[in-house]
Amino acid sequence: MKQFYALNIQNDYVYVLFVQKNGKQFSIINQQIIDLSELSEFLKNKKSYYLSIEQDEDVVEKITIESLINNESVIRSLILMQLHEVDINKKLIFNYVPLPKNINDETTTYLIDGVFEDNYLSVLELIKNLNELKSASTNKFSLLGISCECIKDETFFSVHTQANKITIIAIHKQAIIFSREHRITADNAELRELNLVEGITQSIAYAQQQFREINFSIIALSGSIVIDEIMVEHICMSSELGVTVLYPNTFIQGFEYEEAQEHIFAIGSWFIPKKYQFLPTSVLAHKQYNIISKVLLTASIIFVLISFFYTYEKYSSYADSLQNYEIIKDKLNKTANKTHTYSIEELHSSLKYIQIVEQYLKYHPLDLILTLKPLIELLKPQELQWQYLDKSLELNVKFKHSFRSLKDLYRFEKLFFNKFEDINSTFSSTYKNNTDYSKMNFDTTLTIESSKKERNKTEILRKRRR
């Protein structure tokens, strides 16, 4: 049974998870947030940690090289040469992936992701024992790791928001082919929501424009945005893509409700593929030196270790058990102090409330409104009302518009009812036509009621939306 620490450094704070692995299942033993200045002392005498770092200054470039060149060292040399040509002269730690291309293309375009070594090493210097550093990279590759672990589609978007920062990556065959990290500004909560949705949908539209030959399947959301259903619906409608939520709780125990969304980057730190890890040459050399030293030392005293093997194993098991006991005891005491006990009356009241809410959540007006999209694109409704019936939902939509000529009115009316007939084949719907041909005023009210067939479809859509 393996235990390790997952760390995510953001500005002056470090999100820490103490994790226990058993096969393919993980358990969160403890979680906390510490000041960055306390990190060195916190890691003292601790083993096995995975690190994800927020980097405000990074390098993202596209470089084109002849497809015949496939030697890794030659490719890296050509990349460095072209980076110097665009005035990137600081020492870099970078990785690269080939972007999708046509079979007959004679060149290959590579996406370069890198960090400036001096800035990056200044953070790693806080970790005194680099031998215990199993992985280190930036937040967007941490998001890639957890996204590929949760979503098995070949091509999709993954979006993470935290406060006013948005991280968006486009994933194709478990590689990042597009990324954007930026912050929004807003004077109030309403403007913040608008700017967040606009920033996300514009970035997704730009990526789709850049990769027209690729069909993106869904948008996977994580972070603070997942608790706002209205923003999720706006993103779904604007992008015309399915929306889901990164939900690692299926294979990670210890998080309550949406608590995992606060630690997405820390969780993803132990799923980052090796080729996307940023470990400087000096760190790799240091790790290799220590590995060789340990091997030589082990070879020289191997016969002595054999005689003490079983004793050491029992002591190590005892020490781990004692540490787990203290951590679990502390967590249990904190939970007991914070736990509020509800009375029977309060529980009955909550149950009645849930039953009422579930009754009205069976049918959502948005599910019917979406079916009217062809008509809404043709003419903006003047009025839109709905009401809940005993076993269904009724939607009334009024369309009204004045025309300059009878000919224009006739053409529009014909087009409108042709589109309505397409919708009418799916739903139980009627209309009331009050068009005044003498005044050339188009006036029609549609009434749509969710049928049994559509109610089943609505329930499926609602589950996906949640």
Side-chain angles (χ1 to χ4, degrees):
M1 191 173 294
K2 180 181 177 183
Q3 295 178 341
F4 58 89
Y5 290 86
L7 313 171
N8 174 230
I9 299 177
Q10 296 190 36
N11 299 321
D12 297 326
Y13 298 97
V14 184
Y15 291 78
V16 181
L17 297 177
F18 183 36
V19 187
Q20 182 172 279
K21 180 182 179 183
N22 187 9
K24 294 184 178 181
Q25 294 294 316
F26 301 88
S27 298
I28 306 300
I29 300 175
N30 192 20
Q31 54 179 297
Q32 60 188 112
I33 301 175
I34 63 174
D35 290 334
L36 185 60
S37 59
E38 301 173 357
L39 181 60
S40 297
E41 183 64 25
F42 175 82
L43 293 178
K44 191 175 181 180
N45 299 325
K46 291 183 172 60
K47 297 181 178 180
S48 298
Y49 22 88
Y50 296 78
L51 180 63
S52 174
I53 305 172
E54 181 179 49
Q55 288 280 290
D56 291 329
E57 188 178 9
D58 60 358
V59 175
V60 180
E61 294 285 343
K62 291 181 182 179
I63 290 179
T64 301
I65 298 175
E66 296 292 333
S67 296
L68 294 176
I69 301 174
N70 52 29
N71 182 275
E72 183 176 347
S73 60
V74 175
I75 292 174
R76 294 185 72 88
S77 298
L78 291 173
I79 289 173
L80 284 172
M81 186 183 303
Q82 294 193 38
L83 288 175
H84 289 319
E85 291 177 0
V86 294
D87 294 330
I88 300 178
N89 298 315
K90 293 182 180 180
K91 195 171 183 181
L92 287 177
I93 307 171
F94 68 91
N95 58 56
Y96 63 91
V97 293
L99 296 177
K101 65 170 186 175
N102 295 325
I103 298 177
N104 298 325
D105 286 351
E106 296 180 355
T107 59
T108 300
T109 299
Y110 293 91
L111 179 65
I112 315 302
D113 281 291
V115 293
F116 294 111
E117 185 169 324
D118 290 342
N119 297 341
Y120 189 72
L121 281 177
S122 66
V123 179
L124 292 188
E125 287 176 355
L126 298 171
I127 301 174
K128 303 302 181 183
N129 189 1
L130 293 174
N131 290 326
E132 297 299 333
L133 182 60
K134 305 303 180 183
S135 170
S137 192
T138 56
N139 282 350
K140 68 179 175 182
F141 292 107
S142 181
L143 182 59
L144 168 69
I146 188 60
S147 298
C148 292
E149 193 68 21
C150 294
I151 309 295
K152 300 306 179 183
D153 290 19
E154 183 179 82
T155 307
F156 61 97
F157 289 101
S158 185
V159 179
H160 181 276
T161 64
Q162 187 171 26
N164 289 335
K165 184 171 183 180
I166 306 173
T167 302
I168 301 175
I169 58 175
I171 301 172
H172 179 62
K173 296 182 178 179
Q174 297 189 334
I176 294 178
I177 60 174
F178 168 84
S179 66
R180 187 183 182 199
E181 296 177 274
H182 66 286
R183 298 181 186 275
I184 64 162
T185 57
D187 297 330
N188 54 62
E190 183 179 358
L191 184 58
R192 176 182 175 275
E193 291 182 0
L194 291 174
N195 290 345
L196 275 175
V197 172
E198 183 180 10
I200 292 170
T201 54
Q202 285 183 353
S203 296
I204 289 174
Y206 177 80
Q208 289 175 317
Q209 183 81 9
Q210 294 294 307
F211 301 99
R212 296 180 181 178
E213 70 281 3
I214 296 178
N215 292 321
F216 293 92
S217 58
I218 57 172
I219 304 172
L221 301 178
S222 60
S224 59
I225 196 172
V226 302
I227 63 175
D228 194 324
E229 292 188 3
I230 296 177
M231 291 177 64
V232 173
E233 290 177 359
H234 284 321
I235 293 172
C236 179
M237 294 180 64
S238 300
S239 64
E240 297 184 353
L241 290 175
V243 175
T244 188
V245 173
L246 287 185
Y247 192 72
N249 300 53
T250 55
F251 56 92
I252 301 177
Q253 299 176 349
F255 288 124
E256 297 181 0
Y257 307 108
E258 305 300 332
E259 194 175 34
Q261 299 301 323
E262 300 177 10
H263 302 279
I264 287 297
F265 292 138
I267 296 171
S269 65
W270 74 78
F271 293 111
I272 300 175
K274 188 175 182 179
K275 64 180 180 179
Y276 293 124
Q277 296 175 13
F278 291 137
L279 291 175
T281 304
S282 57
V283 175
L284 290 173
H286 183 72
K287 289 171 69 68
Q288 290 173 356
Y289 171 79
N290 282 279
I291 291 173
I292 293 173
S293 299
K294 288 181 179 180
V295 170
L296 294 176
L297 181 62
T298 303
S300 64
I301 59 173
I302 187 170
F303 295 106
V304 178
L305 290 177
I306 291 175
S307 61
F308 292 100
F309 172 78
Y310 294 104
T311 303
Y312 172 77
E313 185 180 34
K314 291 181 180 180
Y315 171 78
S316 178
S317 177
Y318 169 77
D320 289 342
S321 298
L322 185 61
Q323 183 183 19
N324 289 340
Y325 168 77
E326 293 297 334
I327 292 173
I328 294 172
K329 180 181 177 181
D330 181 61
K331 186 176 181 180
L332 180 61
N333 289 335
K334 290 180 180 178
T335 303
N337 291 332
K338 294 189 298 183
T339 300
H340 175 71
T341 304
Y342 291 91
S343 65
I344 296 297
E345 291 76 11
E346 289 175 314
L347 292 176
H348 281 306
S349 177
S350 297
L351 178 60
K352 291 180 180 178
Y353 175 77
I354 292 172
Q355 290 172 341
I356 293 172
V357 171
E358 282 294 320
Q359 177 67 27
Y360 285 99
L361 283 178
K362 284 184 179 180
Y363 318 110
H364 198 289
L366 183 60
D367 297 323
L368 294 180
I369 294 173
L370 285 175
T371 64
L372 295 178
K373 183 178 179 182
L375 298 181
I376 295 174
E377 290 176 343
L378 192 61
L379 178 61
K380 181 179 178 180
Q382 188 181 57
E383 294 181 8
L384 193 149
Q385 298 177 340
W386 65 83
Q387 62 177 340
Y388 288 95
L389 306 178
D390 289 340
K391 295 184 179 180
S392 64
L393 173 69
E394 182 181 87
L395 177 68
N396 292 286
V397 187
K398 184 174 182 178
F399 295 87
K400 192 172 182 180
H401 188 69
S402 297
F403 290 85
R404 294 183 177 179
S405 66
L406 192 59
K407 182 179 180 181
D408 291 340
L409 173 58
Y410 169 76
R411 288 179 176 176
F412 177 85
E413 189 176 43
K414 184 177 180 181
L415 177 60
F416 182 92
F417 284 105
N418 281 340
K419 291 183 178 292
F420 173 70
E421 286 301 323
D422 294 337
I423 298 172
N424 199 28
S425 62
T426 304
F427 282 90
S428 173
S429 56
T430 60
Y431 69 88
K432 182 179 181 182
N433 192 353
N434 297 319
T435 299
D436 189 339
Y437 295 96
S438 62
K439 296 181 180 180
M440 292 179 289
N441 290 331
F442 178 81
D443 187 351
T444 297
T445 301
L446 304 183
T447 301
I448 301 179
E449 182 178 348
S450 58
S451 63
K452 180 178 180 181
K453 176 180 178 181
E454 283 305 311
R455 288 199 297 272
N456 293 334
K457 180 179 178 181
T458 301
E459 291 175 0
I460 296 173
L461 289 173
R462 190 188 314 111
K463 290 178 181 178
R464 292 181 60 192
R465 186 166 59 248
R466 286 181 179 176

